[in-house]
Amino acid sequence: MTDPSVEDWWTTSIIRMEPGVIEFRDRPIEDLIGTVSFPQMIWLMLRGDLPTPGQARLLEAALVASVDHGPQAPSIAIARMAVTCGVGLNNAMASAVNVLGDVHGGAGEQLVELFGRIDRAGGPAAVPEALKAHRAEHGKFVPGFGHRFHKDGDPRAPRLLGLVDDLAAQGEISGRFAAIARAIEAELARGKPRGVPMNIDGATAVIFAELGFAAPLARGIFCLSRSVGILAHAWEQSQQGGRNKGPMPPNYLWTYGGAPGA
Amino acid sequence: MTDPSVEDWWTTSIIRMEPGVIEFRDRPIEDLIGTVSFPQMIWLMLRGDLPTPGQARLLEAALVASVDHGPQAPSIAIARMAVTCGVGLNNAMASAVNVLGDVHGGAGEQLVELFGRIDRAGGPAAVPEALKAHRAEHGKFVPGFGHRFHKDGDPRAPRLLGLVDDLAAQGEISGRFAAIARAIEAELARGKPRGVPMNIDGATAVIFAELGFAAPLARGIFCLSRSVGILAHAWEQSQQGGRNKGPMPPNYLWTYGGAPGA
Amino acid sequence: MTDPSVEDWWTTSIIRMEPGVIEFRDRPIEDLIGTVSFPQMIWLMLRGDLPTPGQARLLEAALVASVDHGPQAPSIAIARMAVTCGVGLNNAMASAVNVLGDVHGGAGEQLVELFGRIDRAGGPAAVPEALKAHRAEHGKFVPGFGHRFHKDGDPRAPRLLGLVDDLAAQGEISGRFAAIARAIEAELARGKPRGVPMNIDGATAVIFAELGFAAPLARGIFCLSRSVGILAHAWEQSQQGGRNKGPMPPNYLWTYGGAPGA
Amino acid sequence: MTDPSVEDWWTTSIIRMEPGVIEFRDRPIEDLIGTVSFPQMIWLMLRGDLPTPGQARLLEAALVASVDHGPQAPSIAIARMAVTCGVGLNNAMASAVNVLGDVHGGAGEQLVELFGRIDRAGGPAAVPEALKAHRAEHGKFVPGFGHRFHKDGDPRAPRLLGLVDDLAAQGEISGRFAAIARAIEAELARGKPRGVPMNIDGATAVIFAELGFAAPLARGIFCLSRSVGILAHAWEQSQQGGRNKGPMPPNYLWTYGGAPGA
């Protein structure tokens, strides 16, 4: 391998710059400011083109829906603790976004992949087989369905699904990933009194799949959305004060588990 | 001090939850999804109420304008390097957002504070005195004015200022922080052939001040905006491949500075 | 300013490399491995020379003493929560080390600075005046003295001070910063039944000052030490399992503070 | 599942605390300070017991050997860039340690796992078969062998292997993982003029396997070691100054790759 030249070391198709010129995907920034919405700009940066208004509204709904799930979520608790340790809002946001990993932030990514496999295998009819394979590899839990707190249903999911149905009725998206998700929901409910209803991760995964986003971007866009809640809680905590705030009141320490092997 | 009870340890006015219920600032999430824009949701989370459409458009313009300034920006370079080290998009975003500190992400915050001081001292007429005081404390450099790359002017600033003027003409904002910023620009240009024109940080600081955001939120909102570029570049780099990509091509190492005291 | 050449962009005196050659501060790595202790290597990297055995032992004691203060410390809680979110040990360490900021990790740095000011003002006799100035600027709280949990004394401090006294008796360090710290302790105890005894931050700050470390390195070395506890707790949590573990048991949510202005 | 009580939510066997009492693995902290070395303390925290002096020396050698590989390493470059963005040393360390992921920091972990599989399959004789299986799953590249910069050999590896051999000769470790690593090296060299000699990751993986560390701790301990170099470079950069330092000199931007699909 010959070493690359300095000029070619960093290459991007996202941005072009000259003194006085900033273009994103060949569009001058001054034509974008005041013209495109923030979700349209997010799409342009990630995809290289602009979405239709309907596509943008659907992406916007997903961005709005996932901003926050309260101080019991590890990401939010971390942001609040961080500011009491004497770091800036950017640092608190970083410590928090960092934990949106495979478990906390990965359900959407895994589900977009699963939806894609089911779609390529023929759609809803392939669901029972696909779930069997998924569980053989990953265990009983199917990401995106059921919620340990909202046991009778996540209030965000039906609203998001309704917007998906509207756009599919207008022919802007196919609606086939919504059908797959509903087939999964039906399969999971079979023989159970209460069912395992789709949650926010399931509904946003439907949106990302319908809009054609690559699976890892389901996680990436969730990070953009949750960053809003992270910032809001970090800011609120900074107004409340507190120094080195631990997870629980200081009169509760922890259980000492004994020496290993004891 | 008596120790707080477990129930009171975490307190927030941002979100209220019961099984099946999620409310932000007393508004059910299902009423927000599909109804408010993402910038309106950001405002609601940070401020507790909803902005007017004009205010939301101005915030949206600031969010769109700051997404990215290319791989020479440390935040963007860090995101690109990070993904080649084998971490997830959330981790790459965290390492990058983390460096939006006092120098890389703090200009807007410092400027909103300076604008506020000048406003309380009487407005544009107080600029020469305020700049003298600012420089005595912080040195020659005034954040938000001049750009080492866009020497004849940052293309984002005039477009943003135009939107500010439009909204001020409609009486939705006062326009007095735009006047202060222009007075600073004029003062900095006195006796100089080329001037030191307002840059993106200056123009967005005007917007944040006009909209009434607390100074630290200028940094926080910048983090939300720049996260988009950080994600886009991390994603593009992951598609390009590369392993442990250093800052420069591997045939350039670094200059050995000699032992200390040598 | 002329732009620097590519060759000069990164310059370091810490490491020199050629194919087959790695030298730190002019010492080949193969001469260091198996010869210097880890604390000696830390000193070499930060200071450019090797410490005496006595200096190395004192640095080692500070490194050992600060590794951990349990899951109530925000840094440790964050590390434990992070691994349950599905990120790697390196990511959990990053989110946790990140919060060792001005409040959680900055006491040593602030105290090394205060010790330096008192030393330059004449030593222990200057303490009452210096404390008055410190409190006028920063409030009642003096970092490094008193502990909200170990109210009758931090068990780590006297042991560390004893090691300082031993090395001072051998003439390897001056002992004058220990004298200053004890004068502060005496001043804080005046007229109080229980006193405000030196804590771990106070005792390690004495060590860093006696050893001649720049104040910001007090924080940096604390980060190296606390990283050990952070790693140990992250690892233990990964063995315990758990998914998206919040700060408190899930039956405790948080107190809703009401809408702003309500 | 019944919800756990507040008291049991956090459980640890690492640390026990009461006012005035701090014990690690049942040993009072004041008995450890000044008595155990920093590597012994690291072992105690991660393993629950104290190593023999020989084991401690071997761990210490691994900790010393991996501290730094210069500003071309992404972790080091990130730390240096971070401080020029106006964040603290703890934040710079966090952004850098965060990228010690599967590619930058994971070779040791993968290799300890591979060594274990070969050991359970019978040792050196199982190497050819195991390498075939490894390559079928992961591709041609075997972590821990070969170096793109030190093409004729990494100077750290033979020195570390020598220390392993010494301790094996004294019967404190078995030496069987060193034998496996050398069998891999021989297998990789077959029919090649230059061979693919063991590098630092290979040699430290031998040490971690010989000492009985779980594979993920190979990464964790590497993070502790590299944190030293990260801190040293961040500190040196802070002394050099610089604001928003990008990866390359500012007269080199990047190559614009054209619009997607162009």
Short mmCIF file of all heavy atoms in Angstrom, two decimals, chain B residues 128-183:
data_model
loop_
_atom_site.label_atom_id
_atom_site.label_comp_id
_atom_site.label_asym_id
_atom_site.label_seq_id
_atom_site.Cartn_x
_atom_site.Cartn_y
_atom_site.Cartn_z
N PRO B 128 -18.74 50.62 23.34
CA PRO B 128 -17.29 50.89 23.45
C PRO B 128 -16.76 50.62 24.86
O PRO B 128 -15.73 49.94 25.01
CB PRO B 128 -17.19 52.38 23.08
CG PRO B 128 -18.40 52.65 22.23
CD PRO B 128 -19.48 51.77 22.78
N GLU B 129 -17.48 51.07 25.85
CA GLU B 129 -17.07 50.85 27.24
C GLU B 129 -17.05 49.35 27.57
O GLU B 129 -16.11 48.84 28.18
CB GLU B 129 -18.07 51.57 28.16
CG GLU B 129 -17.61 51.74 29.58
CD GLU B 129 -16.40 52.67 29.66
OE1 GLU B 129 -16.23 53.52 28.73
OE2 GLU B 129 -15.62 52.53 30.61
N ALA B 130 -18.10 48.63 27.14
CA ALA B 130 -18.20 47.21 27.44
C ALA B 130 -17.09 46.41 26.78
O ALA B 130 -16.55 45.47 27.36
CB ALA B 130 -19.57 46.68 27.00
N LEU B 131 -16.75 46.80 25.54
CA LEU B 131 -15.66 46.08 24.86
C LEU B 131 -14.34 46.32 25.56
O LEU B 131 -13.51 45.41 25.68
CB LEU B 131 -15.56 46.52 23.39
CG LEU B 131 -16.61 45.94 22.44
CD1 LEU B 131 -16.23 46.27 21.00
CD2 LEU B 131 -16.72 44.43 22.60
N LYS B 132 -14.13 47.54 26.02
CA LYS B 132 -12.90 47.85 26.74
C LYS B 132 -12.81 46.95 27.99
O LYS B 132 -11.78 46.33 28.26
CB LYS B 132 -12.88 49.33 27.14
CG LYS B 132 -11.48 49.89 27.32
CD LYS B 132 -11.49 51.36 27.74
CE LYS B 132 -12.09 52.27 26.68
NZ LYS B 132 -12.17 53.69 27.15
N ALA B 133 -13.90 46.86 28.72
CA ALA B 133 -13.92 46.02 29.93
C ALA B 133 -13.70 44.55 29.57
O ALA B 133 -12.95 43.83 30.24
CB ALA B 133 -15.24 46.20 30.67
N HIS B 134 -14.38 44.11 28.50
CA HIS B 134 -14.25 42.71 28.10
C HIS B 134 -12.80 42.38 27.76
O HIS B 134 -12.26 41.35 28.17
CB HIS B 134 -15.13 42.43 26.88
CG HIS B 134 -15.04 41.02 26.39
ND1 HIS B 134 -15.81 40.01 26.91
CD2 HIS B 134 -14.23 40.43 25.47
CE1 HIS B 134 -15.50 38.86 26.31
NE2 HIS B 134 -14.55 39.09 25.43
N ARG B 135 -12.15 43.29 27.01
CA ARG B 135 -10.78 43.01 26.60
C ARG B 135 -9.81 43.09 27.77
O ARG B 135 -8.80 42.39 27.79
CB ARG B 135 -10.38 43.99 25.51
CG ARG B 135 -11.01 43.61 24.19
CD ARG B 135 -10.96 44.76 23.21
NE ARG B 135 -11.00 44.24 21.85
CZ ARG B 135 -11.15 45.01 20.78
NH1 ARG B 135 -11.24 46.32 20.92
NH2 ARG B 135 -11.19 44.46 19.58
N ALA B 136 -10.09 43.96 28.71
CA ALA B 136 -9.21 44.05 29.89
C ALA B 136 -9.22 42.72 30.64
O ALA B 136 -8.22 42.27 31.17
CB ALA B 136 -9.68 45.19 30.80
N GLU B 137 -10.40 42.08 30.66
CA GLU B 137 -10.49 40.83 31.41
C GLU B 137 -10.09 39.62 30.59
O GLU B 137 -9.43 38.72 31.09
CB GLU B 137 -11.93 40.66 31.93
CG GLU B 137 -12.04 39.66 33.08
CD GLU B 137 -13.49 39.46 33.51
OE1 GLU B 137 -14.36 40.25 33.11
OE2 GLU B 137 -13.75 38.50 34.25
N HIS B 138 -10.49 39.59 29.31
CA HIS B 138 -10.36 38.35 28.52
C HIS B 138 -9.35 38.43 27.38
O HIS B 138 -9.16 37.46 26.66
CB HIS B 138 -11.72 37.96 27.94
CG HIS B 138 -12.77 37.68 28.95
ND1 HIS B 138 -12.74 36.57 29.76
CD2 HIS B 138 -13.87 38.39 29.32
CE1 HIS B 138 -13.80 36.58 30.56
NE2 HIS B 138 -14.49 37.68 30.33
N GLY B 139 -8.73 39.60 27.15
CA GLY B 139 -7.80 39.71 26.03
C GLY B 139 -8.47 40.25 24.79
O GLY B 139 -9.68 40.51 24.76
N LYS B 140 -7.70 40.39 23.74
CA LYS B 140 -8.12 41.12 22.55
C LYS B 140 -9.30 40.48 21.83
O LYS B 140 -10.14 41.17 21.24
CB LYS B 140 -6.93 41.18 21.57
CG LYS B 140 -6.83 42.45 20.76
CD LYS B 140 -5.71 42.38 19.74
CE LYS B 140 -6.21 41.81 18.41
NZ LYS B 140 -5.24 41.99 17.30
N PHE B 141 -9.36 39.18 21.87
CA PHE B 141 -10.31 38.41 21.09
C PHE B 141 -11.74 38.57 21.61
O PHE B 141 -12.02 38.36 22.78
CB PHE B 141 -9.86 36.95 21.16
CG PHE B 141 -10.75 35.97 20.47
CD1 PHE B 141 -10.78 35.89 19.08
CD2 PHE B 141 -11.56 35.11 21.21
CE1 PHE B 141 -11.60 34.97 18.44
CE2 PHE B 141 -12.39 34.19 20.57
CZ PHE B 141 -12.41 34.13 19.19
N VAL B 142 -12.66 38.96 20.71
CA VAL B 142 -14.09 39.04 21.08
C VAL B 142 -14.82 37.87 20.41
O VAL B 142 -14.84 37.79 19.17
CB VAL B 142 -14.72 40.38 20.63
CG1 VAL B 142 -16.20 40.43 21.02
CG2 VAL B 142 -13.97 41.54 21.23
N PRO B 143 -15.40 36.97 21.18
CA PRO B 143 -16.03 35.80 20.57
C PRO B 143 -17.20 36.22 19.68
O PRO B 143 -17.90 37.19 19.98
CB PRO B 143 -16.53 34.98 21.77
CG PRO B 143 -16.66 35.97 22.89
CD PRO B 143 -15.59 37.00 22.64
N GLY B 144 -17.38 35.50 18.56
CA GLY B 144 -18.53 35.76 17.71
C GLY B 144 -18.26 36.72 16.56
O GLY B 144 -19.15 36.96 15.74
N PHE B 145 -17.03 37.26 16.51
CA PHE B 145 -16.70 38.20 15.44
C PHE B 145 -15.37 37.79 14.81
O PHE B 145 -14.42 37.48 15.52
CB PHE B 145 -16.63 39.63 15.98
CG PHE B 145 -17.97 40.11 16.45
CD1 PHE B 145 -18.39 39.83 17.75
CD2 PHE B 145 -18.82 40.79 15.59
CE1 PHE B 145 -19.65 40.24 18.18
CE2 PHE B 145 -20.07 41.20 16.03
CZ PHE B 145 -20.49 40.92 17.32
N GLY B 146 -15.33 37.79 13.48
CA GLY B 146 -14.13 37.38 12.75
C GLY B 146 -14.09 35.87 12.59
O GLY B 146 -14.71 35.13 13.37
N HIS B 147 -13.40 35.41 11.55
CA HIS B 147 -13.32 33.96 11.30
C HIS B 147 -11.99 33.68 10.61
O HIS B 147 -11.66 34.32 9.62
CB HIS B 147 -14.49 33.52 10.41
CG HIS B 147 -14.77 32.05 10.49
ND1 HIS B 147 -13.92 31.11 9.97
CD2 HIS B 147 -15.80 31.38 11.06
CE1 HIS B 147 -14.42 29.90 10.20
NE2 HIS B 147 -15.56 30.03 10.87
N ARG B 148 -11.22 32.74 11.13
CA ARG B 148 -9.90 32.52 10.57
C ARG B 148 -9.95 31.92 9.17
O ARG B 148 -9.00 32.04 8.41
CB ARG B 148 -9.04 31.67 11.51
CG ARG B 148 -9.47 30.23 11.66
CD ARG B 148 -8.53 29.48 12.65
NE ARG B 148 -8.94 28.08 12.76
CZ ARG B 148 -8.48 27.23 13.66
NH1 ARG B 148 -7.57 27.62 14.54
NH2 ARG B 148 -8.90 25.98 13.68
N PHE B 149 -11.06 31.32 8.80
CA PHE B 149 -11.16 30.74 7.46
C PHE B 149 -11.99 31.64 6.52
O PHE B 149 -11.55 31.97 5.44
CB PHE B 149 -11.78 29.34 7.53
CG PHE B 149 -11.88 28.64 6.20
CD1 PHE B 149 -10.74 28.14 5.59
CD2 PHE B 149 -13.09 28.52 5.54
CE1 PHE B 149 -10.81 27.52 4.34
CE2 PHE B 149 -13.17 27.89 4.30
CZ PHE B 149 -12.02 27.39 3.70
N HIS B 150 -13.17 32.05 6.97
CA HIS B 150 -14.02 32.93 6.16
C HIS B 150 -13.65 34.38 6.46
O HIS B 150 -14.38 35.10 7.14
CB HIS B 150 -15.50 32.68 6.48
CG HIS B 150 -15.94 31.26 6.31
ND1 HIS B 150 -15.99 30.65 5.09
CD2 HIS B 150 -16.32 30.32 7.19
CE1 HIS B 150 -16.41 29.39 5.22
NE2 HIS B 150 -16.61 29.16 6.50
N LYS B 151 -12.48 34.79 5.94
CA LYS B 151 -11.93 36.08 6.36
C LYS B 151 -12.78 37.27 5.91
O LYS B 151 -12.82 38.30 6.58
CB LYS B 151 -10.49 36.23 5.82
CG LYS B 151 -9.50 35.30 6.53
CD LYS B 151 -8.06 35.63 6.15
CE LYS B 151 -7.12 34.47 6.46
NZ LYS B 151 -7.10 34.04 7.88
N ASP B 152 -13.47 37.13 4.80
CA ASP B 152 -14.30 38.24 4.32
C ASP B 152 -15.76 38.10 4.74
O ASP B 152 -16.62 38.82 4.26
CB ASP B 152 -14.20 38.35 2.79
CG ASP B 152 -12.82 38.81 2.37
OD1 ASP B 152 -12.29 39.73 3.03
OD2 ASP B 152 -12.27 38.25 1.41
N GLY B 153 -16.03 37.16 5.62
CA GLY B 153 -17.40 37.06 6.09
C GLY B 153 -17.90 35.64 6.08
O GLY B 153 -17.66 34.87 5.15
N ASP B 154 -18.60 35.29 7.13
CA ASP B 154 -19.16 33.96 7.31
C ASP B 154 -20.52 33.95 6.60
O ASP B 154 -21.39 34.74 6.95
CB ASP B 154 -19.30 33.72 8.82
CG ASP B 154 -19.81 32.35 9.17
OD1 ASP B 154 -20.62 31.79 8.41
OD2 ASP B 154 -19.41 31.84 10.24
N PRO B 155 -20.73 33.09 5.60
CA PRO B 155 -21.97 33.17 4.81
C PRO B 155 -23.23 32.89 5.62
O PRO B 155 -24.33 33.22 5.18
CB PRO B 155 -21.76 32.09 3.73
CG PRO B 155 -20.76 31.14 4.31
CD PRO B 155 -19.86 31.98 5.16
N ARG B 156 -23.08 32.31 6.80
CA ARG B 156 -24.25 31.98 7.60
C ARG B 156 -24.81 33.18 8.34
O ARG B 156 -26.01 33.27 8.63
CB ARG B 156 -23.89 30.86 8.59
CG ARG B 156 -23.46 29.58 7.88
CD ARG B 156 -22.76 28.62 8.82
NE ARG B 156 -21.44 29.11 9.21
CZ ARG B 156 -20.54 28.39 9.88
NH1 ARG B 156 -20.82 27.15 10.24
NH2 ARG B 156 -19.37 28.90 10.19
N ALA B 157 -23.91 34.12 8.70
CA ALA B 157 -24.32 35.21 9.59
C ALA B 157 -25.35 36.16 8.97
O ALA B 157 -26.39 36.43 9.59
CB ALA B 157 -23.09 35.96 10.10
N PRO B 158 -25.11 36.68 7.76
CA PRO B 158 -26.09 37.65 7.23
C PRO B 158 -27.48 37.02 7.03
O PRO B 158 -28.50 37.69 7.27
CB PRO B 158 -25.50 38.06 5.87
CG PRO B 158 -24.14 37.50 5.80
CD PRO B 158 -23.96 36.48 6.88
N ARG B 159 -27.50 35.76 6.62
CA ARG B 159 -28.79 35.09 6.42
C ARG B 159 -29.55 34.99 7.74
O ARG B 159 -30.76 35.26 7.80
CB ARG B 159 -28.52 33.71 5.83
CG ARG B 159 -29.76 32.88 5.56
CD ARG B 159 -30.48 33.35 4.32
NE ARG B 159 -31.66 32.50 4.05
CZ ARG B 159 -32.90 32.90 4.18
NH1 ARG B 159 -33.18 34.14 4.51
NH2 ARG B 159 -33.90 32.07 3.93
N LEU B 160 -28.85 34.62 8.80
CA LEU B 160 -29.50 34.52 10.11
C LEU B 160 -29.96 35.89 10.60
O LEU B 160 -31.07 36.03 11.12
CB LEU B 160 -28.54 33.88 11.13
CG LEU B 160 -28.24 32.40 10.95
CD1 LEU B 160 -27.08 31.96 11.84
CD2 LEU B 160 -29.47 31.54 11.23
N LEU B 161 -29.11 36.90 10.41
CA LEU B 161 -29.49 38.25 10.85
C LEU B 161 -30.71 38.76 10.09
O LEU B 161 -31.57 39.46 10.66
CB LEU B 161 -28.32 39.22 10.64
CG LEU B 161 -27.43 39.49 11.84
CD1 LEU B 161 -28.15 40.40 12.84
CD2 LEU B 161 -26.97 38.22 12.53
N GLY B 162 -30.81 38.40 8.83
CA GLY B 162 -31.99 38.78 8.04
C GLY B 162 -33.26 38.21 8.64
O GLY B 162 -34.29 38.90 8.73
N LEU B 163 -33.20 36.96 9.09
CA LEU B 163 -34.38 36.35 9.72
C LEU B 163 -34.72 37.04 11.03
O LEU B 163 -35.90 37.20 11.38
CB LEU B 163 -34.15 34.85 9.94
CG LEU B 163 -33.95 34.01 8.67
CD1 LEU B 163 -33.55 32.59 9.03
CD2 LEU B 163 -35.22 34.00 7.81
N VAL B 164 -33.68 37.44 11.77
CA VAL B 164 -33.91 38.18 13.01
C VAL B 164 -34.62 39.50 12.70
O VAL B 164 -35.61 39.86 13.35
CB VAL B 164 -32.58 38.44 13.75
CG1 VAL B 164 -32.78 39.42 14.91
CG2 VAL B 164 -31.97 37.13 14.24
N ASP B 165 -34.13 40.20 11.69
CA ASP B 165 -34.74 41.49 11.32
C ASP B 165 -36.21 41.31 10.93
O ASP B 165 -37.06 42.12 11.30
CB ASP B 165 -33.97 42.13 10.16
CG ASP B 165 -32.58 42.58 10.58
OD1 ASP B 165 -32.33 42.70 11.81
OD2 ASP B 165 -31.74 42.81 9.70
N ASP B 166 -36.48 40.26 10.15
CA ASP B 166 -37.87 40.00 9.74
C ASP B 166 -38.79 39.84 10.95
O ASP B 166 -39.87 40.42 11.00
CB ASP B 166 -37.95 38.71 8.90
CG ASP B 166 -37.31 38.88 7.53
OD1 ASP B 166 -36.97 40.03 7.16
OD2 ASP B 166 -37.11 37.86 6.84
N LEU B 167 -38.33 39.05 11.91
CA LEU B 167 -39.19 38.77 13.07
C LEU B 167 -39.33 40.00 13.96
O LEU B 167 -40.39 40.23 14.56
CB LEU B 167 -38.64 37.58 13.87
CG LEU B 167 -39.66 36.87 14.76
CD1 LEU B 167 -40.78 36.23 13.95
CD2 LEU B 167 -38.99 35.80 15.63
N ALA B 168 -38.25 40.80 14.01
CA ALA B 168 -38.33 42.05 14.79
C ALA B 168 -39.31 43.01 14.13
O ALA B 168 -40.08 43.70 14.82
CB ALA B 168 -36.94 42.67 14.91
N ALA B 169 -39.30 43.03 12.79
CA ALA B 169 -40.23 43.92 12.07
C ALA B 169 -41.68 43.55 12.35
O ALA B 169 -42.57 44.40 12.35
CB ALA B 169 -39.94 43.85 10.57
N GLN B 170 -41.89 42.23 12.61
CA GLN B 170 -43.24 41.80 12.95
C GLN B 170 -43.56 41.98 14.42
O GLN B 170 -44.65 41.61 14.89
CB GLN B 170 -43.41 40.32 12.57
CG GLN B 170 -43.34 40.05 11.07
CD GLN B 170 -43.03 38.59 10.76
OE1 GLN B 170 -43.46 37.70 11.48
NE2 GLN B 170 -42.27 38.37 9.71
N GLY B 171 -42.61 42.50 15.17
CA GLY B 171 -42.85 42.78 16.57
C GLY B 171 -42.80 41.57 17.48
O GLY B 171 -43.15 41.67 18.66
N GLU B 172 -42.34 40.43 16.98
CA GLU B 172 -42.32 39.23 17.83
C GLU B 172 -41.10 39.19 18.74
O GLU B 172 -41.10 38.50 19.75
CB GLU B 172 -42.36 37.97 16.95
CG GLU B 172 -43.75 37.68 16.41
CD GLU B 172 -43.97 36.19 16.26
OE1 GLU B 172 -43.62 35.41 17.18
OE2 GLU B 172 -44.48 35.79 15.20
N ILE B 173 -40.04 39.84 18.33
CA ILE B 173 -38.85 39.99 19.19
C ILE B 173 -38.48 41.46 19.15
O ILE B 173 -38.94 42.21 18.28
CB ILE B 173 -37.68 39.11 18.71
CG1 ILE B 173 -37.38 39.38 17.22
CG2 ILE B 173 -37.95 37.63 18.94
CD1 ILE B 173 -36.16 38.66 16.70
N SER B 174 -37.63 41.86 20.09
CA SER B 174 -37.37 43.30 20.22
C SER B 174 -36.36 43.82 19.20
O SER B 174 -36.38 45.01 18.86
CB SER B 174 -36.84 43.59 21.63
OG SER B 174 -35.49 43.17 21.72
N GLY B 175 -35.45 42.96 18.77
CA GLY B 175 -34.40 43.42 17.87
C GLY B 175 -33.27 44.15 18.56
O GLY B 175 -32.30 44.55 17.92
N ARG B 176 -33.33 44.30 19.89
CA ARG B 176 -32.31 45.13 20.52
C ARG B 176 -30.97 44.40 20.65
O ARG B 176 -29.92 45.05 20.72
CB ARG B 176 -32.78 45.68 21.85
CG ARG B 176 -33.00 44.69 22.96
CD ARG B 176 -33.74 45.41 24.11
NE ARG B 176 -33.56 44.73 25.38
CZ ARG B 176 -34.34 43.71 25.80
NH1 ARG B 176 -35.33 43.27 25.05
NH2 ARG B 176 -34.10 43.14 26.97
N PHE B 177 -30.97 43.08 20.64
CA PHE B 177 -29.68 42.37 20.71
C PHE B 177 -29.01 42.35 19.33
O PHE B 177 -27.79 42.35 19.23
CB PHE B 177 -29.88 40.96 21.26
CG PHE B 177 -30.36 40.97 22.68
CD1 PHE B 177 -31.69 40.78 23.02
CD2 PHE B 177 -29.45 41.25 23.71
CE1 PHE B 177 -32.12 40.83 24.33
CE2 PHE B 177 -29.88 41.31 25.03
CZ PHE B 177 -31.22 41.10 25.35
N ALA B 178 -29.82 42.37 18.27
CA ALA B 178 -29.25 42.53 16.93
C ALA B 178 -28.58 43.90 16.82
O ALA B 178 -27.48 44.03 16.24
CB ALA B 178 -30.33 42.38 15.87
N ALA B 179 -29.22 44.91 17.39
CA ALA B 179 -28.64 46.25 17.36
C ALA B 179 -27.32 46.29 18.13
O ALA B 179 -26.34 46.92 17.70
CB ALA B 179 -29.64 47.26 17.93
N ILE B 180 -27.30 45.62 19.27
CA ILE B 180 -26.06 45.57 20.06
C ILE B 180 -24.95 44.88 19.27
O ILE B 180 -23.81 45.35 19.21
CB ILE B 180 -26.31 44.85 21.40
CG1 ILE B 180 -27.16 45.74 22.32
CG2 ILE B 180 -25.00 44.47 22.08
CD1 ILE B 180 -27.66 45.05 23.58
N ALA B 181 -25.29 43.74 18.64
CA ALA B 181 -24.28 43.00 17.88
C ALA B 181 -23.73 43.83 16.73
O ALA B 181 -22.52 43.82 16.46
CB ALA B 181 -24.88 41.69 17.36
N ARG B 182 -24.62 44.55 16.07
CA ARG B 182 -24.15 45.40 14.96
C ARG B 182 -23.29 46.56 15.48
O ARG B 182 -22.35 46.99 14.82
CB ARG B 182 -25.33 45.91 14.16
CG ARG B 182 -25.86 44.83 13.22
CD ARG B 182 -27.14 45.22 12.54
NE ARG B 182 -27.51 44.23 11.52
CZ ARG B 182 -28.74 43.75 11.34
NH1 ARG B 182 -29.74 44.15 12.11
NH2 ARG B 182 -28.97 42.87 10.39
N ALA B 183 -23.61 47.06 16.65
CA ALA B 183 -22.78 48.11 17.23
C ALA B 183 -21.40 47.57 17.58
O ALA B 183 -20.38 48.26 17.43
CB ALA B 183 -23.46 48.69 18.48
#
